[in-house]
């Protein structure tokens, strides 16, 4: 579990560091931390719902939270709860959201000054 925690917290910390060194708003790192906590909670609730045969959180909701920055929390929850770790289609979608999020952050780090002027 330690490597997963290092990846998750390292990413959020890295985004925070990038926001201090570039034009990336510092609120982005705070948003990622909040979204990660919310995503972690939703995975926990979804795992409990699955065990109790209750209404589940739609996979598209979990994926949207991941692409918006909550993937570190999702990664931790997947390992801790052993939830959504066997379904290949979900895992492929999840890692695609991780790549999209990292690519978007990299784009904003490199082109943030131009992006914020454009808005």
């Amino acid at each position: 579990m330690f490597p997963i925690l290092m990846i998750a917290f390292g990413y959020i910390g890295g985004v925070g560091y990038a926001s201090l060194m570039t034009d990336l708003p510092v609120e982005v790192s705070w948003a990622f931390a909040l979204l990660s906590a919310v995503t972690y909670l939703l995975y926990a609730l979804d795992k409990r719902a699955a065990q109790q045969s209750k209404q589940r959180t739609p996979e598209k909701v979990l994926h949207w939270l991941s692409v918006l920055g909550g993937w570190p929390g999702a990664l931790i929850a997947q390992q801790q709860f052993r939830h959504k770790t066997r379904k290949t289609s979900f895992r492929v979608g999840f890692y695609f959201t991780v790549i999209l999020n990292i690519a978007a952050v990299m784009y904003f780090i490199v082109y943030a000054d131009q992006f914020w002027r454009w808005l």
Side-chain angles (χ1 to χ4, degrees):
M1 185 73 164
F2 183 72
I4 298 298
L5 291 172
M6 291 298 295
I7 291 168
F9 288 111
Y11 181 70
I12 293 171
V15 171
Y17 180 75
S19 70
L20 296 174
M21 296 297 162
T22 67
D23 290 331
L24 186 69
V26 71
E27 291 82 8
V28 171
S29 62
W30 288 106
F32 283 5
L34 178 63
L35 282 168
S36 288
V38 168
T39 305
Y40 177 89
L41 178 63
L42 280 179
Y43 269 80
L45 294 173
D46 190 51
K47 177 68 174 190
R48 179 178 290 166
Q51 291 170 334
Q52 297 175 353
S53 299
K54 293 186 177 178
Q55 185 169 350
R56 308 276 305 277
T57 304
E59 288 183 356
K60 65 182 175 182
V61 170
L62 299 175
H63 284 318
W64 272 110
L65 286 170
S66 291
V67 80
L68 293 174
W71 69 263
L75 189 64
I76 294 169
Q78 286 174 8
Q79 296 305 309
Q80 183 174 356
F81 303 125
R82 292 284 177 225
H83 189 51
K84 300 289 189 183
T85 58
R86 292 189 180 191
K87 189 174 179 184
T88 304
S89 62
F90 182 84
R91 292 189 57 78
V92 167
F94 171 73
Y95 285 113
F96 182 70
T97 66
V98 171
I99 291 167
L100 278 176
N101 178 263
I102 292 172
V105 169
M106 294 303 295
Y107 176 83
F108 287 127
I109 287 172
V110 173
Y111 298 108
D113 59 330
Q114 296 171 14
F115 178 77
W116 300 118
R117 272 188 269 147
W118 178 71
L119 284 179

